[in-house]
Amino acid sequence: MVSPECAPFAETGGLGHMVSGLTKALANRHHDVRLFLPLYGFIHPQNDWFCHRDIPVYMGQKVETCQVYEASQNGITFYFIDAPNYFKDNAIYVDGPYNGERFAFFCRAVLDSCRALQWTPEVIHCHDWATGLIPVYCNTLRSCHPISSAATVFTIHNLQYQGIFAPSILSFAGIPFSEFHSTSLEALGQVNLLKGALYHATKITTVSPRYAQEIQTTEFGCGLDHVLRFKAGDLIGILNGIDTDVWNPETDPLIPSHFTSNNLIPKEECKKSIRNQFHLPHTPAPLLGVVSRICWQKGLDVFANVLPYLLNNTQLQVVILGTGDRNLENQFRSLEQPFPNQVRMISQYDSELAHRLQAGCDLFILPSRYEPCGLAQLYAMRYGTLPIVRATGGLADTVQSLNESDETGYGFVFSDLHNDAIYNTVHWAYRIYNEKHNLFQKMQKTAMEADFSWERSSAQYESVYQWAFNQRG
Ligand code: GLC
């Protein structure tokens, strides 16, 4: 498993959670899973981590070295690539061409470390553009490198981020210039690491079936839809699971009071504690949460435009947690003054508060423009917090909208990202909460009992690994 992020060591969002959850599930199924991460400046080697020293890394004309720290946790072997020239920064991603060099080095260091450790994996599972050169190396190194016999599975977590760099990165990485063409790494005169990965990976996955379809269209394809249509026979969407040990309302140590689908009463305590902390009055109105990166992808700009109308016409209380677009954060914050009893904007990435909000809210909103999978709506449902989402990607695949006539469904889903659609859907949820509380509770119970554990998805990944392995072998 090769990834730029893995919780709890390094994460900026869902990718880190997905990688740790899947790895854990595979180890539980008795696979020999070993995970490679860069040793970023903020990761400090522990005393019991073994250090493999002076591993040669063949970067183009130059031979560099790295150290590899080996740690073992819950049946998983972690390898941290220690190369201070590239990873002393206290950030996972940095700006500029250096970012490309960092991850090019990481990819090559992973392959050369496997060789040095004399371990040849059957399948290398790579995540997002930062690992895009691994499939390319495996195909271009061929007989010169023992690891290149491995099958590669490449997972797209977000097609928008492609890793685009000047062509000089090729000589830096030691990739033959013959790969600089439109059915490999080249796109619009630049090197596109994600595109290279799509052409070279043995199999491609993405994190929901719906997103696997969407990215083959011009609307969602981010300029690579033609590549994905061409590779459609090797592409499959598998829904992410969630770590149900970490996200468990019965045992979660981060929340003030524990509850189950059969006893939701203690959930009220969780709501009280949020209201107390943020000085919101205890009213009979529902509490709506946003736990998300604050950005365009998430459609929160449209929500911000609609919110004043919702606040004027209802007693709804809204707590927004996340960081991202400063202007958008300020737009939300500017509502605190005119609506002091109804809105709080908390500009932080705070996983403890995320747990407490997921537990303490009645409703949760994620109106994404596109959403490869989305994990926050799954966490919300597990905590009996009903999701209001736009029908796209993994949101469409995981949230079943309420049908009031037969009382099925456990969320509130709309299709178009328009002011009216958001307004009406939030208002609908508000009405069900106020006027049909039994139905609301029934929905909460169904949402909490829905199975989004890694069990099913990890079995699907096993099939993909087998499929890739057979093809490579
Ligand atoms: C990215 C996507 C998100 C997905 C996550 C994990 O963050 O934006 O939808 O859930 O990766 O796969």
Side-chain angles (χ1 to χ4, degrees), residues 125-187:
H125 188 168
C126 310
H127 300 267
D128 270 359
W129 70 265
T131 62
L133 280 184
I134 291 206
V136 181
Y137 278 129
C138 285
N139 274 359
T140 51
L141 291 169
R142 306 267 167 148
S143 55
C144 313
H145 201 298
I147 310 308
S148 61
S149 63
T152 49
V153 172
F154 184 84
T155 295
I156 303 166
H157 292 265
N158 191 334
L159 191 62
Q160 205 190 357
Y161 301 96
Q162 302 182 355
I164 297 171
F165 300 98
S168 56
I169 195 171
L170 294 178
S171 53
F172 172 82
I175 303 272
F177 208 72
S178 55
E179 289 304 318
F180 194 60
H181 61 80
S182 65
T183 55
S184 182
L185 281 160
E186 189 271 343

Side-chain angles (χ1 to χ4, degrees), residues 208-409:
S208 68
R210 173 80 158 240
Y211 192 59
Q213 295 304 318
E214 288 172 343
I215 55 180
Q216 296 178 50
T217 66
T218 35
E219 189 189 349
F220 292 94
C222 301
L224 295 178
D225 43 297
H226 62 290
V227 185
L228 290 154
R229 285 195 298 274
F230 177 73
K231 294 282 284 188
D234 293 318
L235 165 67
I236 182 173
I238 301 177
L239 264 188
N240 285 337
I242 59 173
D243 189 328
T244 47
D245 298 332
V246 174
W247 294 92
N248 183 351
E250 261 185 89
T251 55
D252 188 340
L254 302 175
I255 64 176
S257 166
H258 295 132
F259 53 97
T260 65
S261 61
N262 291 320
N263 178 16
L264 279 158
I265 296 167
K267 187 171 159 71
E268 285 301 310
E269 289 301 314
C270 299
K271 178 150 124 184
K272 261 193 204 150
S273 109
I274 294 289
R275 284 174 159 163
N276 287 343
Q277 179 175 353
F278 298 109
H279 308 289
L280 288 167
H282 298 269
T283 69
L287 183 60
L288 169 69
V290 174
V291 181
S292 172
R293 259 183 305 123
I294 307 300
C295 64
W296 183 88
Q297 177 200 335
K298 306 291 179 182
L300 292 171
D301 50 325
V302 186
F303 178 59
N305 293 337
V306 176
L307 193 51
Y309 298 96
L310 281 164
L311 297 169
N312 259 327
N313 295 339
T314 68
Q315 302 302 310
L316 190 69
Q317 291 178 333
V318 184
V319 178
I320 302 136
L321 171 67
T323 58
D325 179 339
R326 289 274 161 205
N327 291 333
L328 198 47
E329 288 174 39
N330 289 337
Q331 195 179 339
F332 282 119
R333 191 164 301 108
S334 71
L335 296 172
E336 289 181 348
Q337 210 207 345
F339 300 99
N341 293 332
Q342 288 176 277
V343 188
R344 294 295 179 269
M345 168 74 226
I346 302 131
S347 296
Q348 283 165 23
Y349 183 87
D350 178 337
S351 68
E352 176 176 341
L353 186 54
H355 280 245
R356 291 186 43 235
L357 263 184
Q358 295 287 25
C361 289
D362 304 291
L363 294 162
F364 165 90
I365 185 163
L366 192 57
S368 302
R369 286 196 163 73
Y370 71 94
E371 195 61 68
C373 177
L375 294 174
Q377 83 280 11
L378 303 179
Y379 299 146
M381 288 191 266
R382 180 116 168 102
Y383 285 67
T385 300
L386 297 182
I388 301 171
V389 300
R390 178 162 175 255
T392 183
L395 298 175
D397 285 340
T398 57
V399 182
Q400 192 192 334
S401 198
L402 170 66
N403 177 337
E404 273 190 75
S405 55
D406 67 2
E407 302 204 342
T408 54

